[in-house]
Amino acid sequence: MGVVVAGNQDIASRHVADIIFNQLKSKQNSVFLLPTGSTPLKLYSVLIDMVQAEKISFAKAATFNLDEYIGIGKGHGQSYHRFMWHNFFGKVNINRKNVSIPESKPKDAEKFCKAYEKKIRKTGLDIAVLGIGENGHIGFNEPGTKFSSETHVAELSKSTINANSRLFKSKKDVPRQAITAGLKTIMQAKRIIVLAFGKKKAKAVKLAIEGRVSEKVPASVLQKHKDVVFVLDEEAASLLKKTRLQAPSIAGITIYSDFNLPKGKNIAFFSPHPDDAAISAGAIISKLAKKNKVYEIVMTTGHRAIDSNRTLPQKIKERERETRGEARVLGTSPIFLRCRFYDRENEILEADIRKTRALMRSIKSDIVFVPQKGDKHPTHIASRKMALASVPHKVELWSYETPWALFGHKKFNAAFEFGEKEMKRKLNAVKKHKSQTERTNFDRAAKTIAEFRQVTIAEQIFSQLGKKPLETKPYLELFNITKW
Ligand code: F6R
């Protein structure tokens, strides 16, 4: 089971839209099983935007709806027919003939259910998108529904009547019955995506993913399916204990927030000069340092950037003192390599490699940060080469951008989103390098780049965006993550 946790509903919905985008790209006549409710509203609006911007087309696609209330009629304000036409079908280029929604007033409900099941079986389902009820229901398969159930008439449970009464004049107006695709019907889908947002869903999500497979929790049946992904926000994921939380990705770019970052790893951050780590990645470092061991490996003394009459040892001491201050803010352990290439015109020296290799052997890192390939600063170029010559293989390599060369188009595949609090800490860390910020406002540079990245990220995922930009936190740090 995959569990993707996104920073907000927009990012989560775009992650799902991205899966649908790829599905339609590989098979135009894909068949979808779709939900109603408040959860998929953002997804539908993102898909509408994409269709209107001609990024995807539902012209050849077919859909089935999971369920419909019995008795209220298609025209009722709360009927799922109305919901779907109002919130989705009416605004995309789907062919009316390819839309199937259970009848609200079938003449013979049993007969209708059999025919609906047969129709689904005939086309099959490529992707089922589901919401989840607070009691763990999917569709209207309430607790106690048999895992072997097909499309059927279901009695709504008290919990569902309560939850849905917010949409009706009063509780007594909520229909007591619905037609729903059964659990076996849903399990036929090749892929299943479950969306859940908010604290109210946390318990159901926890039981569905980490609980025992039991008919008491209908969604727990999904543990038996081989291609299921839960796409959650932080609150809906808040009770998960054992599960690895993945970050969402849109158009090939993974969007990290503080709760879906790697955990329990040894991380080596190679900083060419003492202040590069804070300027380039201070926000993500401070978050990573909370749940990982982060070594900040300062490769050069950076003494040339101190304009004073002081002696060389004094200059080195000053920069290392500033770095220790920064490391206290970010929560890292600094290591000073004092590589000799810095004073030897960036010549890659065996002695430096040996020293770095020995260090890398002792810290056994799983993740290594280096300046990105396109960096133009001579010391950064040499530092990247040096680091890569010393890093053992089979690590995850996170290349980062520095003010000396921003990533070009499509040259990065990950972003870390963060807010004002993290920015404050990052700037505080940068400002510890007073000898540098007195000369150049690197703090302003760091803030400007992170803000610029947030504003322009939309251009990088343009191929899958409609007219509305991606809603992330106000700042981004960018990375290119590869296997090394
Ligand atoms: C809707 C459906 C239901 C909902 C669930 C969550 O077609 O089948 O299972 O997905 O009740 O509803 P919301 O999204 O309103 O919290």
Side-chain angles (χ1 to χ4, degrees):
M1 246 188 203
V3 180
V4 171
V5 186
N8 60 40
Q9 291 194 21
D10 184 60
I11 299 174
S13 303
R14 287 180 194 278
H15 173 84
V16 178
D18 190 67
I19 298 173
I20 293 175
F21 172 94
N22 288 315
Q23 175 67 32
L24 286 169
K25 212 160 95 185
S26 67
K27 186 181 168 198
Q28 288 182 18
N29 59 347
S30 293
V31 185
F32 300 96
L33 184 64
L34 298 176
T36 58
S38 48
T39 312
L41 280 171
K42 186 80 199 186
L43 170 65
Y44 291 146
S45 96
V46 166
L47 290 172
I48 291 166
D49 198 26
M50 286 163 79
V51 170
Q52 290 176 354
E54 296 183 5
K55 302 290 162 70
I56 50 169
S57 167
F58 283 89
K60 296 196 172 139
T63 64
F64 288 91
N65 262 84
L66 271 163
D67 41 20
E68 174 61 290
Y69 291 118
I70 287 188
I72 59 175
K74 280 184 193 171
H76 189 286
Q78 291 306 324
S79 87
Y80 288 174
H81 274 82
R82 204 189 116 91
F83 176 99
M84 288 308 293
W85 282 98
H86 182 71
N87 292 306
F88 188 47
F89 298 143
K91 295 172 182 161
V92 294
N93 61 344
I94 195 150
N95 185 337
R96 192 170 272 271
K97 283 196 309 224
N98 293 338
V99 171
S100 305
I101 306 176
E103 282 291 331
S104 172
K105 291 184 170 175
K107 280 200 202 91
D108 180 338
E110 293 253 319
K111 205 166 148 195
F112 177 85
C113 291
K114 281 217 168 74
Y116 199 72
E117 183 74 26
K118 205 168 152 196
K119 199 171 169 193
I120 293 179
R121 202 157 293 254
K122 200 166 160 207
T123 57
L125 298 168
D126 291 297
I127 293 184
V129 181
L130 312 174
I132 181 170
E134 289 167 38
N135 62 1
H137 75 209
I138 46 178
F140 274 124
N141 296 288
E142 302 285 25
T145 307
K146 291 253 166 299
F147 284 169
S148 57
S149 58
E150 298 190 333
T151 304
H152 64 283
V153 174
E155 305 291 326
L156 269 56
S157 70
K158 254 197 198 144
S159 145
T160 302
I161 293 169
N162 280 342
N164 292 7
S165 63
R166 70 188 196 277
L167 305 164
F168 290 81
K169 263 196 225 123
S170 73
K171 214 191 266 182
K172 71 174 180 8
D173 294 318
V174 183
R176 277 9 191 197
Q177 287 187 318
I179 290 183
T180 182
L183 294 171
K184 192 171 156 202
T185 325
I186 294 170
M187 289 292 276
Q188 285 174 53
K190 290 193 190 110
R191 278 183 103 173
I192 299 177
I193 303 167
V194 188
L195 272 166
F197 302 131
K199 253 211 163 65
K200 280 188 177 166
K201 299 292 172 75
K203 197 167 155 223
V205 164
K206 157 99 180 155
L207 291 173
I209 299 174
E210 295 182 349
R212 217 163 50 81
V213 177
S214 149
E215 286 175 353
K216 286 189 192 142
V217 182
S220 68
V221 74
L222 301 172
Q223 291 180 30
K224 301 210 255 178
H225 194 283
K226 62 179 187 326
D227 191 354
V228 178
V229 60
F230 276 75
V231 183
L232 313 170
D233 65 2
E234 190 183 2
E235 289 188 337
S238 59
L239 297 178
L240 295 174
K241 291 271 153 24
K242 302 179 237 162
T243 313
R244 193 177 80 83
L245 308 181
Q246 294 161 243
S249 98
I250 303 161
I253 297 175
T254 303
I255 315 276
Y256 287 98
S257 309
D258 61 6
F259 45 82
N260 55 24
L261 287 169
K263 282 183 197 143
K265 309 269 184 205
N266 275 339
I267 300 177
F269 194 107
F270 281 97
S271 186
H273 302 94
D275 52 352
D276 287 315
I279 295 170
S280 308
I284 198 170
I285 292 174
S286 73
K287 289 294 174 184
L288 285 170
K290 291 211 155 65
K291 295 196 169 141
N292 302 272
K293 177 79 190 162
V294 182
Y295 299 94
E296 182 180 334
I297 305 168
V298 182
M299 305 194 72
T300 69
T301 55
H303 63 80
R304 287 201 297 265
I306 295 210
D307 309 315
S308 78
N309 300 325
R310 281 177 281 180
T311 63
L312 178 62
Q314 283 171 334
K315 288 180 183 177
I316 296 176
K317 205 168 157 202
E318 176 64 0
R319 292 217 67 177
E320 293 185 355
R321 189 188 60 77
E322 289 175 345
T323 307
R324 279 193 206 94
E326 174 229 276
R328 272 194 294 278
V329 174
L330 297 182
T332 60
S333 308
I335 295 168
F336 301 100
L337 274 182
R338 301 184 184 179
C339 284
R340 287 164 58 193
F341 70 78
Y342 186 59
D343 291 316
R344 300 278 285 279
E345 297 186 353
N346 296 323
E347 189 189 337
I348 304 297
L349 304 167
E350 252 323 297
D352 285 341
I353 296 181
R354 264 201 308 278
K355 195 160 51 171
T356 318
R357 273 202 188 130
L359 172 69
M360 292 311 282
R361 266 197 300 276
S362 73
I363 64 180
K364 293 192 181 56
S365 46
D366 314 284
I367 298 176
V368 174
F369 283 76
V370 290
Q372 61 124 334
K373 207 172 170 183
D375 202 316
K376 299 285 187 287
H377 192 297
T379 306
H380 295 193
I381 296 171
S383 294
R384 181 181 161 96
K385 271 195 206 147
M386 251 292 308
L388 293 184
S390 326
V391 166
H393 282 268
K394 292 210 179 115
V395 298
E396 205 174 85
L397 196 67
W398 288 50
S399 295
Y400 60 87
E401 63 181 356
T402 73
W404 307 109
L406 300 185
F407 282 119
H409 184 66
K410 299 269 176 199
K411 297 287 189 211
F412 60 90
N413 60 14
F416 173 65
E417 57 153 358
F418 60 101
E420 299 299 345
K421 210 167 117 206
E422 291 83 8
M423 177 53 86
K424 212 168 146 197
R425 189 172 306 120
K426 174 174 167 125
L427 295 182
N428 190 3
V430 176
K431 284 185 202 153
K432 292 290 175 193
H433 298 273
K434 195 157 169 272
S435 64
Q436 307 305 297
T437 50
E438 267 174 353
R439 184 170 46 86
T440 303
N441 287 140
F442 282 113
D443 47 336
R444 273 183 63 202
K447 186 171 179 182
T448 311
I449 291 171
E451 193 171 5
F452 163 76
R453 282 324 202 169
Q454 196 279 335
V455 174
T456 56
I457 186 96
E459 283 301 299
Q460 305 287 325
I461 54 175
F462 181 67
S463 60
Q464 280 161 51
L465 276 188
K467 284 179 233 113
K468 299 186 190 112
L470 181 70
E471 293 168 25
T472 69
K473 290 191 177 153
Y475 305 106
L476 298 179
E477 286 171 348
L478 300 186
F479 304 93
N480 193 44
I481 305 174
T482 49
K483 291 262 174 267
W484 178 252

